[in-house]
């Protein structure tokens, strides 16, 4: 692809930068794409590509995963390093945060060591101004020897100058170079002639980078460099000899890797000290005051639980009213559909299949699942935009570490609220393979939007008449916390059995609080989350409803094929406080959690012909008339919270791990917890009767 672009004269530049610097926002503004951006580390987990709209002709921008360093500790950071080193873009645009330039410059200096064809975009200058921070970009450009420009990509300011800056950078052959201690500089001089022809063709800056990497000897990288002809076989032999000499000179007080890192940090500090001026602004004082509450030892957890409860209360109050209205409309529309099929002269079996099977379950999905998702996820996304989710990770880091997991698992846990498959994919940000596996196998304990909507509906049916929406919100919060506690328990179990190892540390950045983009947030949450999930549920629900109806109407002996299946499952279901209809619905609902409750009601209703409904109260009557007790309701809620993940999540685990074994473990682990909890609950309830 790169060769084709060169032949066609297409200019390609890569965007690199730390997480949270607005890199993807710069990319979106450049290309006009609406790539989702998040306010926490590691949100970008792949590359995106688009055509720059600010120039005539074709200029391709490639958005690389966010990284703090080109010394990779995760697959995403390795993607960024390898793209810059091996794909040879015409230029690199390093996006920095004006509010914390010194930290960002470490990555810039590492990029410059690979290629001088680099420009710097100092972004978020509006936030920096509010915090009393000013960056002298002219002086920074003079010190680095590359183009530097200011932008506020969120407001579209300064982005139009990027194409000219990267075009200028593409012609550069020399830029700022970090100075290492004498023992390392001597080794670089000795190794330089041993670089391969492909390495030498990229210039002295790249050869210098090759020499430093050779001294550090990253085996995986060395194989790539050797295959690409960038180093010679003799290079590795002499690199080891030079490394032994350096280790002897440095002694036991420090290592070569630490010395290199210190050189980058010292250079970044010196450059930033010359270009950045600051005075404490009111925004900084405000952020610190708020963080003392949100991340406080005693207040952080209380605020986190309180916010979650408030979100649930707002969701339930609004969702119940909207659901009742939608159900009334769906009931009327169902009557019209039935009359239309009768007038069309359709066979009776087809009318019932369409109206009692397909339409009923579709109406359920839309009327019961849509309202809570449409309210909860915009509110949750607003917290994400404001910058609260990294504070959640900060508050829960110690808990995860105590369970033998990585603190970054808090971030993937938050992703799981939207979709467990996304949460599993997000586990790529975890460096340790062991901890990454723990996070993937336990993510399904966090209720995704499908489980959440079902839990909200069941609690609304049974808890609202008893204690109102406040009690229902409190119970839903308790359920979410129970799911979180079970994920911690499962993490601990895995860390002391099959996935033993030491817990790693990680750097977590707490970004400044940002004003939420309400309109953009609403559009994004509705399109990316609510409608996408609803569409998946509808596509799954229609055939599932038809299959359930057919099973209920195919006679077998004295009953139907459906009753035969549920009767077979009844003994096992009774042990965990449910019946065969419920357990069969869970099994049939594996394509999507959203359809489990509709399948339960459809199964009951289809066996008793047509049962009308126009609100959640009447749906509750259907369940009660079908034999539900308090025990049934509690065990169904608990099993919904803890059972196997949907098919999409299981396939994602298989794809991420490359093994059916781990996909099977992701299926069995929550199921085991769910069966044990439900069996214990059912036993206790039977004893108390």
């Amino acid at each position: 692809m790169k060769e084709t672009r060169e032949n066609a004269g297409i200019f390609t530049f890569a965007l690199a930068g730390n997480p949270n610097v607005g890199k993807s926002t710069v990319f979106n503004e450049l290309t006009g794409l609406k790539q989702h951006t998040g306010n926490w580390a590691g949100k970008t987990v792949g590359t995106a590509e688009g055509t720059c709209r600010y120039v005539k002709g074709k200029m391709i921008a490639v958005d690389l995963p966010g990284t703090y360093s080109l010394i990779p500790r995760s697959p995403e950071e390795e993607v960024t390093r390898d793209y810059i080193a091996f794909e040879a873009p015409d230029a690199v645009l390093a996006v920095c945060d004006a509010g914390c330039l010194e930290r960002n410059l470490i990555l810039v200096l590492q990029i410059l060591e690979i290629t001088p064809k680099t420009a710097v975009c100092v972004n978020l200058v509006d936030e920096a101004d509010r915090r009393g921070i000013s960056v002298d970009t002219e002086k920074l450009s003079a010190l680095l020897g590359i183009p530097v420009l200011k932008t506020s990509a969120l407001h579209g300011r300064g982005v139009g100058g990027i194409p000219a800056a990267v075009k200028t950078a593409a012609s550069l052959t020399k830029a700022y170079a970090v100075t290492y201690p004498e023992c390392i500089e001597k080794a670089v001089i000795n190794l330089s002639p041993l670089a391969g022809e492909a390495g030498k063709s990229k210039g002295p800056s790249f050869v210098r980078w090759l020499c430093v990497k050779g001294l550090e000897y990253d085996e995986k990288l060395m194989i790539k460099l050797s295959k690409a002809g960038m180093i010679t076989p003799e290079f590795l032999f002499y690199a080891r000899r030079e490394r032994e000499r350096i280790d002897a000179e440095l002694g036991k007080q420090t290592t070569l890797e630490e010395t290199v890192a210190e050189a980058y940090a010292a250079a970044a500090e010196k450059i930033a000290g010359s270009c950045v001026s600051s005075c404490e602004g009111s925004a900084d004082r405000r952020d610190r005051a708020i963080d003392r509450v949100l991340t406080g030892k005693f207040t952080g957890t209380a605020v986190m639980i309180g916010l979650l409860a408030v979100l649930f209360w707002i969701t339930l109050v609004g969702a119940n009213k909207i659901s009742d209205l939608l159900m009334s409309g769906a009931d009327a529309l169902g009557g019209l559909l039935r009359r239309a099929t009768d007038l069309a002269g359709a066979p009776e079996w087809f009318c019932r299949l369409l109206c009692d099977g397909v339409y009923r379950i579709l109406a359920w999905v839309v009327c019961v699942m849509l309202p809570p998702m449409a309210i909860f996820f915009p509110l949750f996304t607003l917290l994400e935009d404001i910058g609260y989710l990294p504070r959640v990770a900060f508050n829960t880091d110690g808990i995860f570490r105590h369970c033998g997991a990585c603190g970054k698992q808090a971030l993937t846990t938050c992703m799981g609220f939207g979709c467990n498959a996304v949460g599993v994919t997000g586990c790529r940000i975890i460096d340790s393979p062991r901890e990454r596996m723990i996070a993937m196998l336990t993510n399904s304990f966090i209720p995704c939007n499908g489980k959440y909507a079902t839990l909200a509906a069941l609690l609304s049916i049974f808890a609202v008449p008893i204690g109102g929406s406040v009690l229902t919100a409190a119970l839903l919060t308790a359920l979410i916390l129970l799911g979180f506690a079970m994920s911690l328990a499962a993490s601990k179990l895995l860390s002391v059995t099959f996935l033993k190892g030491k817990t790693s540390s990680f750097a977590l950045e707490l970004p400044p609080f940002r004003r939420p983009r309400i309109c953009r947030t609403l559009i994004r949450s509705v399109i990316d989350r609510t409608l996408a999930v609803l569409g998946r549920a509808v596509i799954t629900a229609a055939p599932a409803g038809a299959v359930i109806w057919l099973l209920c109407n195919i006679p077998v002996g004295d009953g139907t094929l459906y009753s035969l299946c549920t009767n077979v499952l009844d003994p096992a279901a009774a042990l965990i406080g449910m019946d065969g209809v419920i357990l069969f619905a869970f099994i049939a609902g594996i394509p999507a959690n959203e359809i489990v409750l509709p399948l339960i009601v459809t199964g009951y209703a289809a066996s008793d012909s047509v049962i009308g409904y126009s609100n959640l109260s009447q749906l509750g009557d259907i369940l009660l008339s079908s034999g539900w007790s308090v025990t049934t309701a509690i065990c169904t809620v608990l099993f919904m919270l803890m059972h196997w993940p949907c098919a999409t999540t299981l396939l994602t685990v298989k794809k991420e791990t490359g093994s059916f074994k781990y996909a099977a473990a992701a299926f069995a682990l929550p199921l085991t917890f769910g069966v044990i909890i439900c069996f214990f609950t059912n036993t206790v309830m039977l004893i108390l009767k």
Side-chain angles (χ1 to χ4, degrees), residues 44-194:
T44 305
V45 293
T47 61
E49 201 174 282
T51 303
C52 184
R53 59 179 178 172
Y54 284 92
V55 294
K56 292 181 180 180
K58 203 158 187 182
M59 177 180 278
I60 302 295
V62 179
D63 185 20
L64 300 176
T67 175
Y68 290 103
S69 169
L70 292 185
I71 303 172
R73 294 174 298 172
S74 70
E76 284 63 49
E77 293 177 343
E78 188 176 337
V79 165
T80 298
R81 182 203 65 191
D82 287 356
Y83 188 89
I84 295 172
F86 297 103
E87 295 300 318
D90 295 299
V92 177
L93 179 69
V95 183
C96 300
D97 181 353
C100 44
L101 185 64
E102 180 180 329
R103 186 197 67 216
N104 291 186
L105 281 174
I106 293 175
L107 178 63
V108 174
L109 295 173
Q110 290 177 341
I111 293 172
L112 287 176
E113 198 156 58
I114 296 178
T115 174
K117 302 178 186 298
T118 303
V120 170
C121 167
V122 181
N123 193 35
L124 302 174
V125 291
D126 51 334
E127 288 187 7
D129 290 340
R130 286 197 298 271
R131 295 165 58 193
I133 299 173
S134 176
V135 179
D136 186 340
T137 52
E138 291 184 3
K139 191 169 185 179
L140 180 60
S141 177
L143 288 171
L144 294 177
I146 59 176
V148 178
L149 71 161
K150 289 183 180 180
T151 64
S152 177
L154 185 60
H155 304 289
R157 294 199 297 266
V159 179
I162 289 176
V166 294
K167 282 279 190 180
T168 301
S171 62
L172 298 178
T173 58
K174 187 178 180 181
Y176 184 92
V178 173
T179 302
Y180 299 111
E182 185 179 350
C183 58
I184 298 177
E185 290 289 351
K186 182 179 178 180
V188 169
I189 294 172
N190 292 339
L191 289 175
S192 293
L194 299 175

